[in-house]
Structures are given as structure tokens and as C-alpha cells.
Amino acid sequence: MSGRPTIGLALGSGGARGWAHVGVVRALRAAGIVPDVVAGTSIGALVGAMVAAGRFEAFEREVGALNWLALSRFFVEPRVWLRGIFSGKTVTRWLERPELLGALTFADLPRPFAAVATDLYREETVTLREGRLSEAVRASISIPGLFDPVPRGGRHLVDGGLSDPVPVAAARALGAEVVIAVDLNGAGGEAPAGRPSLLSTLLQTGRLVENALSRLTLAARPADVLLRPRVGHIQTLDFHGGRAAADAGEAAVREALPALKEAIAR
């Protein structure tokens, strides 16, 4: 890190729009920009954990192979009690595959990483930096009503996007001197075809909250370089459309390359 500032990557929330993070990481690497620390919220925590753990290439292959059939296994689960539509256990098992996060803990990582979640009842941002990575990611991505909250230390943790959708502060707390942030909540979307379902209405309501909160948090805690991939047309659960979102992430980096190089050279 000699001769340049400590670079932090702050990957924001956004559901399926978060596959843009894959393109962002790919394009940054192609430009020779490798983050020293990584912070992620929700889908950003998922991608960020893979980057911090050195499992990004394996994860990228997984994203490229996703289709509706592959995705369906995450949303077919037996239920004993109901706190969310899905328990999230299938997602955890997927995260803990050996080629992805396995049994890795934060202490095993070659670079500092933080996952941001929200305490559902205390209404607080919770920055996770200890324990199993899979559990931290699972907490950060837990959209209320869709997945069960994750119990941890007397708290009930849900999606980090409800309290800190673009984790610039978490990246700076890890020691970042230059923060590259990715905001996926800055653009409006499109209404789903036909009559909106209860689920789509709930998800869009959450998106409205995250959009407003993104603007507020970025105004209070600005990044050195802010990337806004053009992914507003992608619905929260359209995870099978990873290629288009990743392409948008790559394009955002290409457009911002002069600003990125200037920030790192300061």
C-alpha cells in the first residue's frame, strides 16, 4: 500500500440490482484498482464477502449460471414457524459451500471486511466484523417479511439497507482513506407488468425507503468517488438477470475512471 492511500470499497444495497457490484469489481480489477478494505450492505455484503475472502471468481461463475430453475431452490423451504416467507436456511447452506464462504470467519480474511445489518427492534445500524462470514451475510441480506431475522447477541438482525444502504462510514472505520462507493438506489424503476402483487408492493415500499435514506446518508457521509450503475429498471428479485446488471456496473467504472485515478493519486 506504500505510495498510495488505503482504498475502501463500499457496496450498497439493492436486491438483484446488486449484481452490478460484480461488474464494478471486475472493471476495477481490470483498471488495476484493488481495494484494501471492503464494506457491504445487503447484496453488497454478499459480493463484498466474496471479494474479501478471495472467492470472487467462484462467485462470479455462480452468478453467470443463475436462472429461474437455479434460483427456485432458495425459495422452496419447509416452515415450522413463520417470521418471514422463507427461513433463509437454504441461502445459508449455499453460502457455506466450500467454493464460496465455507466455514470462513472474519479472522480468516486476507483483508478487512464489514457487513452492515439493522437491529429490527432497537432501530440501529449494526456493523458485523466477527464470527462466521455466512451468518453475517445472511443477516445483512434479510429483507423483513421475506427472510427470517437472524438472532445474534440478543438482537434480531435484518437487512442493512434499512439503516445504512451505502456503507461509506463502515469503510472509513476499517481504515479507508479513499472510499469508492456504489449506490444502487439512486434511480427510479419501472412498475411490474400487470397488477402489482402484495410482495412486489412491499418490496417497492422498502425500495422507496432505501432511496431516500441513500440520499441522506451520502449527503452526510460522502464517498470520494460515487458510482451509480444504471440499474433502476431491475426489480428487487430479478436475480436471473445478472449479466445486464454486471454490464451496467462495468460501464459505471469506465465512465468514472478519470475521477477514480485522480482520487487515488491525491
Side-chain angles (χ1 to χ4, degrees), residues 19 22-23 26 29 47 50 54-67 70 73 94 97-100 239-240 242-243 246:
W19 290 158
V22 173
R26 184 190 302 153
R29 288 184 169 191
V47 179
M50 301 298 172
R55 305 294 170 84
F56 178 73
E57 287 78 9
F59 177 71
E60 190 176 17
R61 289 192 293 271
E62 288 278 331
V63 173
L66 282 179
N67 53 37
R73 70 180 185 270
W94 176 72
R97 290 168 53 191
E99 62 270 31
L100 296 180
F239 287 102
H240 63 293
R243 178 171 296 180

Side-chain angles (χ1 to χ4, degrees), residues 164-190:
D164 191 4
V166 189
V168 174
R172 295 210 189 275
L174 293 175
E177 297 169 299
V178 171
V179 175
I180 303 166
V182 186
D183 177 21
L184 306 175
N185 297 304
E190 299 175 0

Side-chain angles (χ1 to χ4, degrees), residues 54-112:
R55 305 294 170 84
F56 178 73
E57 287 78 9
F59 177 71
E60 190 176 17
R61 289 192 293 271
E62 288 278 331
V63 173
L66 282 179
N67 53 37
W68 276 116
L69 182 61
L71 283 165
S72 65
R73 70 180 185 270
F74 297 126
F75 302 107
V76 179
E77 304 177 74
R79 301 293 291 157
V80 178
W81 62 87
L82 192 63
R83 291 178 296 166
I85 298 174
F86 308 105
S87 72
K89 291 180 180 178
T90 305
V91 173
T92 301
R93 286 194 293 269
W94 176 72
L95 289 170
E96 292 179 345
R97 290 168 53 191
E99 62 270 31
L100 296 180
L101 298 181
L104 290 174
T105 68
F106 282 82
D108 298 321
L109 297 177
R111 59 171 59 86

Side-chain angles (χ1 to χ4, degrees), residues 39-242:
T41 294
S42 195
I43 189 70
L46 171 58
V47 179
M50 301 298 172
V51 173
R55 305 294 170 84
F56 178 73
E57 287 78 9
F59 177 71
E60 190 176 17
R61 289 192 293 271
E62 288 278 331
V63 173
L66 282 179
N67 53 37
W68 276 116
L69 182 61
L71 283 165
S72 65
R73 70 180 185 270
F74 297 126
F75 302 107
V76 179
E77 304 177 74
R79 301 293 291 157
V80 178
W81 62 87
L82 192 63
R83 291 178 296 166
I85 298 174
F86 308 105
S87 72
K89 291 180 180 178
T90 305
V91 173
T92 301
R93 286 194 293 269
W94 176 72
L95 289 170
E96 292 179 345
R97 290 168 53 191
E99 62 270 31
L100 296 180
L101 298 181
L104 290 174
T105 68
F106 282 82
D108 298 321
L109 297 177
R111 59 171 59 86
F113 170 66
V116 175
T118 302
D119 186 314
L120 181 61
Y121 296 105
R122 298 179 189 174
E123 302 178 15
E124 297 172 346
T125 300
V126 179
T127 302
L128 303 172
R129 293 195 58 193
E130 296 179 343
R132 289 175 72 104
L133 280 174
S134 59
E135 181 184 87
V137 171
R138 166 71 180 82
S140 186
I141 66 174
S142 294
I143 300 173
L146 188 63
F147 290 113
D148 286 355
V150 173
R152 179 167 169 147
R155 297 176 180 268
H156 294 80
L157 301 182
V158 295
D159 197 303
L162 294 174
S163 60
D164 191 4
V166 189
V168 174
R172 295 210 189 275
L174 293 175
E177 297 169 299
V178 171
V179 175
I180 303 166
V182 186
D183 177 21
L184 306 175
N185 297 304
E190 299 175 0
R195 184 176 179 178
S197 66
L198 174 60
L199 178 59
S200 68
T201 300
L202 290 172
L203 292 173
Q204 181 60 24
T205 301
R207 184 169 176 172
L208 285 169
V209 172
E210 291 189 22
N211 287 350
L213 190 55
S214 291
R215 291 191 291 270
L216 290 172
T217 56
L218 286 169
R221 300 187 291 269
D224 297 280
V225 180
L226 180 61
L227 305 178
R228 283 193 166 117
R230 296 181 179 90
V231 289
H233 62 287
I234 297 176
Q235 299 296 317
T236 301
L237 297 182
D238 286 348
F239 287 102
H240 63 293

